[in-house]
Amino acid sequence: MTVRVVLGVSGGIAAYKACELLRRFTESGHDVTVVPTAAALEFVGAPTWAALSGKPVSTEVWADVHEVPHVRIGQQADVVVVAPATADLLAKAAHGLADDLLTNTLLTARCPVVLAPAMHTEMWDHPATQANVATLRARGVVVIDPAEGRLTGADIGKGRLPDPVEIFELVLGVLDRGPEASQDLAGRKVVVSAGGTREPLDPVRFLGNRSSGLQGYALARAAAARGAHVTLVSANVTLPDPAGVSVVRVETTAQLREAVVAATSTADAVVMAAAPADFRPTSVSDAKIKKAGDGSAPAIELEQNPDILAEISRERARPGSVIVGFAAETGDDTGSVLELGRAKLARKGCDLLVVNDVSGGAVFGSADNEAVVLSADGDAVDVPRGSKSALAHVIWDQVARRFAD
């Protein structure tokens, strides 16, 4: 289905990155109208936007007045995205100012609005900007937290425009939920773990698993789209950082535990989508383990890793928090996939358990997933095969319902 996208671009150096975002939308078959501010055209000229979108570009309410563009563009949009959104643009949007075509469009839009701020750290942290962001979020606007990294000049900090690919994915998630989608996680702090841990054997080898991190990243992206402050603990994942998400990188199960436990002290919800290694070597060789001349293999003694899900479920750092676990099962002579999942839910003590049948390597590395979401009160929600983003939203639906209870 073709979506009518309004891509607003305000006057920051990151305006050039919006070209990649525009390309993502147009190559996906969507109809895009670019509405830059006059300042944005100082960074990227109108011919570039016109060529990439296939449409004329204007910043003025006085152009084509007979078509009433200052009202029509917002009224007809399915989604409005502003990337980058400068501190000035955020202030105007928060206070309902309308002195150009983009700010008029924001006032007339009745569709989802996504703002992707980009500015220097001091500007983002200023109380005025934070108050404007809070006002916009309270109105249901999706304001993505900026990324951390290199800014203009030699400065490094929070204020960088998130990866355009990740902004695109977040917008698709907003559209998937429809025009009535709420910011039901606004103001909530959530922790998501993703990927698979690695336990070193020697400087070049490790014990690990096949988790790609795709489901955990989909969960983080979905939570951000629903207004949450998201901390993503990422174990050996090479995917781009989701837009608006703080990422903590770890390698081993012990490091994963340390990061998750630290983050849970202020978290309203924790979703353990990572696949921690159950065991680790009792000792790690300082040098590469060599092959034996007689063809024999070295014996590797293992010890059990801490059970992170059981620990954070048992010792709730924040009363009333919701804990979600994952169970990748194959079924065996002790029980079916679902039976093993119910037993794990009781053993771990979490509130929800997402059970995947991974027989034959299913799920790992795939863009799709199917699962059964079990709850401690006995409910079960079947999620048919679909995108990992769709499953992520079902999980957050269940979490949000518990917040409302």
Side-chain angles (χ1 to χ4, degrees), residues 352-367:
L352 298 167
L353 188 74
V354 184
V355 182
N356 293 127
D357 185 342
V358 295
S359 303
V363 177
F364 293 119
S366 171

Side-chain angles (χ1 to χ4, degrees), residues 93-184:
H95 290 84
L97 301 180
D99 61 355
D100 62 9
L101 191 57
L102 178 54
T103 48
N104 273 270
T105 297
L106 289 172
L107 275 184
T108 57
R110 294 298 179 266
C111 59
V113 175
V114 180
L115 306 180
M119 63 197 73
H120 267 69
T121 307
E122 293 83 359
M123 299 174 74
W124 172 255
D125 288 339
H126 195 282
T129 302
Q130 289 303 303
N132 291 332
V133 169
T135 296
L136 290 164
R137 285 173 171 165
R139 294 177 188 155
V141 176
V142 180
V143 184
I144 307 170
D145 273 8
E148 296 186 19
R150 182 71 176 266
L151 306 174
T152 305
D155 293 343
I156 295 175
K158 190 167 187 175
R160 186 179 173 89
L161 186 73
D163 190 305
V165 175
E166 287 300 317
I167 298 175
F168 174 73
E169 291 293 338
L170 185 145
V171 173
L172 293 186
V174 170
L175 287 169
D176 284 345
R177 299 189 66 219
E180 301 304 319
S182 68
Q183 293 285 281
D184 54 2

